[in-house]
């Protein structure tokens, strides 16, 4: 059975039943159909956060298909519930980019999925669309002010760094010249689109503590300079009120359920390679308010997702995970051991062994946070006993507990070993995480600490453009912001071809973006792009719907 | 009280109560909160359409603020219900362009509104967003195919006519050069964005009879040519299945209610100046299935909205209105009589008299359809008895019934005179409408007939570009499509400064667009643009929300 067939074979509980089990009053919910609802922000109770166990699920460097972090996250949530713990899964909303591109949906897989999976993977409750509109309203207001005779702020169009966004893998929008066509079209200028998952509005939504904070952050967005060199912010355009109106519902977390009828909160969806890579602070705090165990994930490998989860999100939110689950797969280890994507389904103990340095490096990077680690080996049918034993032996050697997980095949019951290891680890955690850098470090130092401590790089090199951009942002007083690296997810390095555990490499910062509303400095490493393209054969071509509404090819 | 204050002072009925009064089974509804629901298409019963009275509300040439067509439409629906007729209002969804631009919302006004008005004017049930995504997925697939080495269709990028779309007044996106930035960015080419309300996907959604038809229409979209000059369609890119998946919910009409708790169906939102200007065929047929009276509107003046309503929508759907309500206002007549927007609130009988030719021309144009006409004088507080008498005398002279309507001030009770005239007129209607042109006419003839019969123009002139575009579309076999004029709404002519009843003028067709999926040829007259810009002081600047969620400035 395909993921979509499994998802559609289960009749969801009415969402008010799921809410009732979380003690959310029925009349507080805003329903989107019978199986989705938004939860109001005033349910969050800061006093309860300290008692809750936050569990972060991250992964080794993934293959293009992903290693099943979301599946493990959902399976672990179900397993904790199966073991009579009160647990909720808190994950990100999927982007249409991957859905129509190469990766497909992001609602788990097999018996560990969140439902209604079709809705979740398409428009869901409209949060991405609202983010896009808020982003692009600001763009339209900028363009309009540049064009204005009577109310001009004197914006120098060459300095405008604010880009439009679209939730689509559209390489043609990456670099454009806009405002052509003569006087009525505006002042021509170079600009471009980011994918919505990489937009600052997405970042803001995921960093905001409430609607007022969101409105203020929107106002603080730096968009460019006047001809005299004075910085212009969104609030100077009176844009942030209307932006907040557009986001008034998107800021509320979405309640859905797993296939096993356990609660799941899905909210916000920044990618981890080009954005901060984790769901909203609001959603995580909501989970921690409602349950004893909150299982969440951060995108791609631990070098990207986990690093940002700690240094950006947890630091800002004042929370700390009790355990980090590091997902590995036999096939990814073989891939890092030098095998091609076609070969990784054949037994090859030696290739697994050769791939272990990737796992080892992630473990040593994660140890720097000082939080207990559990390795979860996400089982595939093609894995053999001998291959799995290699990984188990390695974990024993480095003193990290390991559990096999069968979330895809068996759902929560397939993840009870993992859940038990997680409970044990969380009980043993008495400290908060140690950040990789201090906010008081210089930007250069912050980037170096990430690259050295987490990636294992030697040096950081900045391009000439990057140097001048950084100098400017520091002179504007933004040197104390945290760092949100944009780097390929396919390697610890900035070269996607260097699999396994690369050594003796430098990180090359091509340019910087700044997100003064979200509060990040974004160094862009190597060739990573903030607007992806579609692959040679896009998934979109196989997706269709028949006259009875039956969808095919979505996964 | 402002519109938003009035709207928020009324507690909506649960939408299932509204549905129950229409005999829609509760379990057939798809809820979006407690006050919005989508109705499944299989409720439509073609057999019931003939018995239903379809009433079209249109208007004289409007001032920039609009003359209250939607308000009259809602007031008339409420009045018919008040008179114990089973009536439903079927209108378009608002676009964010005007909401953040100059005009504000499009959910009626005063005591004649549809609710929940904030939702309706913002994201509503996400239909516009879904349309945008389907449109832009096709764009991304085109760009990707042009870039493809292995699966190229050989598209000549210079011939691609398919544009992206965005629901925003953003002049900077009207004309762009896309796909810049070197090899990875694609093949640079000139292109642009339409506003979503003018996109072909919007047109398709409003013309489609069901999901299969919609999928087929999406496949039939002509996007450009190969280097060998062969036409390329969306189906050649395998795009239409995924587009239909994105539109699977957007195709279902939305049920809401008026302030008085009567049913309203809101679905689709093409503008009337740059698109076909009326809600979806599906929504209209839904209304006609459910009620004895279906009150609907077509955008801007009758020259645009009513003409397209008849010749495009009614012809395709096989339906015909029983009465046309022509909305006029004293202030618009004064405007056409030569007064400025600032002066039209002062009594000026002579200016009203001077503006009458505009009303007269609309009446004579509408008479060509052979359907009973009722003039509705939409009352404003500043109107005087003497001014209103001028209009009443004129209508008596030309033999057209007139009713004063006070929908804004009094809701349904303020429109009972109008409702009684409408009932009388509808009862007297025994014939179907006479179209302005035959589909077998040549494209030139069709355009001439519209311009002469409806606008009162003398000749039609085509630019050289338009001539060659038309030759091409005719040679492709599209000469038998109906015409969807793009023309300013501010004048019968293509010059927005020629108010009143211009005479001795020609219509200049600058270029053609073609919508082979929707099934239109779109002549673009004069300077009209399919992507509007924001005004000097955009409404967006005054819109905000406070920490309690109270929205200000939306209207």
């Amino acid at each position: 059975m395909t993921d979509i067939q499994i998802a559609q074979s289960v009749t969801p509980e009415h969402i008010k039943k799921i809410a009732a089990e979380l003690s959310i009053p029925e009349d507080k919910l805003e329903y989107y159909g019978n199986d989705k609802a938004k939860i109001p922000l005033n349910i969050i109770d800061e006093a309860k956060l300290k008692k809750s166990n936050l569990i972060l699920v991250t992964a080794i460097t993934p293959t293009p298909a992903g290693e099943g972090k979301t599946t493990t996250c959902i399976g672990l949530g179900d397993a904790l519930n199966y073991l009579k713990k009160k647990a909720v899964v808190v994950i990100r909303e999927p982007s249409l980019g991957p859905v129509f591109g190469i990766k497909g949906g992001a609602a788990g897989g097999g018996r560990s999925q969140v439902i209604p999976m079709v809705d979740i993977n398409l428009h869901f409750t409209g949060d991405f669309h609202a983010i896009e509109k808020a982003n692009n309203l600001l763009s339209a207001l900028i363009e309009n002010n540049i064009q204005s005779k009577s109310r001009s702020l004197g914006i120098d169009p060459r300095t405008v760094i604010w880009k439009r966004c679209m939730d689509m893998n559209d390489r043609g929008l990456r670099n454009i010249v806009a405002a052509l066509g003569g006087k009525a079209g505006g002042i021509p200028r170079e600009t471009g689109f980011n994918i919505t998952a990489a937009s600052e509005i997405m970042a803001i939504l995921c960093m905001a503590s409430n609607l007022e904070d969101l409105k203020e952050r929107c106002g603080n967005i730096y968009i460019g300079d006047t001809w005299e060199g004075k910085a212009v912010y969104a609030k100077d355009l009176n844009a942030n009120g209307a932006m907040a109106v557009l986001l008034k519902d998107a800021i509320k977390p979405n309640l859905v359920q797993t296939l096993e009828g356990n609660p799941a909160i899905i909210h916000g969806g920044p990618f981890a390679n080009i954005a901060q890579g984790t769901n909203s602070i609001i959603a995580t705090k909501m989970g921690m308010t409602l349950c004893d165990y909150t299982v969440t994930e951060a995108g791609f490998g631990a070098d990207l997702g986990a690093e940002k989860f700690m240094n950006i999100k947890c630091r800002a939110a004042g929370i700390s995970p009790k355990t980090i689950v590091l997902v590995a797969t036999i096939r990814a280890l073989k891939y890092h051991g030098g095998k091609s994507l076609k070969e990784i389904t054949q037994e090859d103990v030696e290739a697994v062994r050769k791939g272990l340095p990737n796992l080892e490096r992630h473990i040593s990077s994660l140890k720097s946070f000082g939080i207990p680690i559990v390795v979860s080996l996400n089982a595939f049918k093609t894995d053999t006993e001998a291959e799995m034993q290699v990984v188990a032996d390695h974990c024993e050697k480095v003193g990290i507990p390991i559990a096999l997980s069968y979330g895809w095949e068996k759902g929560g019951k397939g993840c009870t070993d993992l859940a038990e290891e997680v409970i044990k680890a969380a009980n043993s955690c008495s400290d908060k995480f140690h950040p990789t850098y201090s906010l008081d470090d210089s930007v250069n130092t912050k980037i170096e600490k990430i690259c050295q401590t987490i990636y294992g790089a030697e040096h950081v090199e900045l391009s000439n453009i990057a140097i001048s951009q950084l100098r400017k942002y520091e002179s504007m007083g933004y040197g104390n912001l945290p760092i949100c690296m944009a780097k390929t997810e396919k390697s610890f390095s900035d070269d996607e071809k260097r699999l396994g555990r690369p050594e003796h490499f430098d990180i090359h910062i091509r340019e910087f973006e700044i997100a003064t509303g979200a509060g990040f400095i974004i160094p862009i490493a190597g060739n990573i792009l903030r607007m992806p393209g579609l692959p040679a054969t896009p998934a979109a071509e196989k997706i269709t719907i028949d006259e009875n509404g039956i969808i095919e090819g979505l996964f």
Side-chain angles (χ1 to χ4, degrees), chain A residues 97-104 169 171 532-542:
Chain A
V99 166
F100 293 129
I102 197 167
K103 198 167 174 236
N169 285 2
R171 67 163 59 76
L534 288 170
T537 306
E541 292 190 18
K542 294 178 205 104

Side-chain angles (χ1 to χ4, degrees), chain A residues 174-250:
Chain A
R174 207 177 279 158
N175 293 289
I176 68 171
V177 173
L180 295 166
K183 271 178 93 166
I187 311 284
R189 62 185 186 87
E190 292 176 65
T191 181
F193 282 67
N194 288 327
I195 192 162
T196 305
S199 71
E200 183 169 358
I201 307 297
M202 175 65 84
I204 286 175
L205 186 97
C206 290
M207 295 300 289
S209 46
N210 55 47
L211 189 58
E212 267 304 284
D213 181 39
L214 177 135
K215 189 169 74 175
E216 196 179 320
R217 286 171 179 270
C218 285
N220 289 338
I221 293 169
Y222 165 60
I223 64 102
D225 301 323
T226 66
W227 290 99
E228 288 75 36
K230 192 171 152 271
V232 180
Y233 294 89
K235 61 186 166 225
D236 299 327
L237 292 153
N238 301 317
N240 48 322
M243 291 166 77
V245 168
L246 282 168
L247 295 167
K248 72 181 177 61
D249 297 315

Side-chain angles (χ1 to χ4, degrees), chain A residues 11 49 58 121 162 353 363 376 399:
Chain A
T11 307
L49 303 186
T58 183
N121 275 301
W162 185 253
R353 205 182 309 272
I363 290 173
S376 166

Side-chain angles (χ1 to χ4, degrees), chain A residues 121-430:
Chain A
N121 275 301
L122 295 174
H123 310 294
F124 198 26
T125 58
D127 295 344
F128 270 57
H129 301 325
I131 288 165
E132 211 171 293
K133 285 288 162 290
N135 185 104
N136 295 339
L137 171 62
L138 177 54
S139 298
L141 290 167
I142 292 169
E143 220 72 68
N144 198 54
N145 193 276
I146 291 174
Q147 176 79 342
S148 171
K149 274 173 252 170
S150 52
R151 305 176 67 240
S152 170
L153 295 173
I155 297 168
D156 176 352
R158 302 165 306 175
T159 66
V160 176
I161 58 164
W162 185 253
K163 292 182 179 178
R164 292 170 180 86
C165 76
M166 188 184 286
D167 186 27
M168 191 67 70
N169 285 2
D170 187 348
R171 67 163 59 76
L173 292 178
R174 207 177 279 158
N175 293 289
I176 68 171
V177 173
L180 295 166
K183 271 178 93 166
I187 311 284
R189 62 185 186 87
E190 292 176 65
T191 181
F193 282 67
N194 288 327
I195 192 162
T196 305
S199 71
E200 183 169 358
I201 307 297
M202 175 65 84
I204 286 175
L205 186 97
C206 290
M207 295 300 289
S209 46
N210 55 47
L211 189 58
E212 267 304 284
D213 181 39
L214 177 135
K215 189 169 74 175
E216 196 179 320
R217 286 171 179 270
C218 285
N220 289 338
I221 293 169
Y222 165 60
I223 64 102
D225 301 323
T226 66
W227 290 99
E228 288 75 36
K230 192 171 152 271
V232 180
Y233 294 89
K235 61 186 166 225
D236 299 327
L237 292 153
N238 301 317
N240 48 322
M243 291 166 77
V245 168
L246 282 168
L247 295 167
K248 72 181 177 61
D249 297 315
I251 198 179
K252 298 172 194 160
N254 306 292
L255 180 65
V256 291
Q257 63 196 283
T258 67
L259 284 177
E260 300 185 8
N262 294 313
I265 295 174
I266 305 191
H267 194 224
F271 292 158
N273 51 353
I274 49 181
Q276 80 263 46
T278 71
N279 59 271
S280 74
I281 287 177
I282 285 171
T284 301
K285 286 189 173 177
M286 186 68 76
M288 292 172 80
T289 297
L290 297 170
C291 287
D292 300 325
Y293 285 84
T294 297
V295 184
T296 190
E297 46 84 50
F300 293 124
D303 52 326
L304 291 164
E307 184 272 309
K308 295 171 187 176
F309 181 83
M310 299 294 187
N311 291 309
I312 296 177
K313 177 177 178 170
C314 288
R315 178 174 358 220
I319 55 178
S320 186
K322 294 275 173 68
T323 298
I324 301 171
V325 174
L326 179 63
V327 176
T329 61
I330 292 295
R331 53 180 208 172
L333 290 171
K334 283 188 268 193
Y335 184 63
H336 289 294
K339 294 292 152 185
S340 72
L341 287 174
K342 282 185 189 155
E343 294 167 326
I344 58 178
T345 51
Q346 296 149 26
E347 180 176 46
D348 191 334
V349 174
E350 194 46 36
V352 174
R353 205 182 309 272
K354 279 192 188 160
L356 282 177
N358 185 272
L359 174 65
E360 192 176 18
R361 174 74 228 184
H362 280 294
I363 290 173
S364 70
S365 298
L366 288 174
K367 277 183 174 171
S368 68
F369 296 115
I371 299 294
I373 301 165
V374 174
V375 169
S376 166
L377 192 59
N378 183 23
F380 281 71
K381 301 229 167 189
T382 52
D383 300 346
T384 67
E385 289 276 334
E387 289 174 324
M388 294 194 281
Q389 195 58 46
V390 171
V391 186
D393 289 348
H394 178 77
C395 287
E396 196 181 359
K397 198 180 82 184
V398 297
I400 299 289
I402 179 170
L404 287 177
S405 59
Y406 296 89
W408 188 86
E409 189 186 339
K410 300 180 188 170
K413 281 189 204 174
C415 298
T416 49
D417 286 357
L418 175 61
E420 279 165 3
E421 290 295 346
V422 164
I423 293 167
K424 230 186 291 175
N427 286 342
S428 77
C429 178
S430 54

Side-chain angles (χ1 to χ4, degrees), chain A residues 430-441:
Chain A
S430 54
D431 203 5
K432 290 197 166 178
F433 79 98
H434 311 310
T436 310
Y437 53 85
S438 157
L439 293 178
D440 296 333
D441 290 338

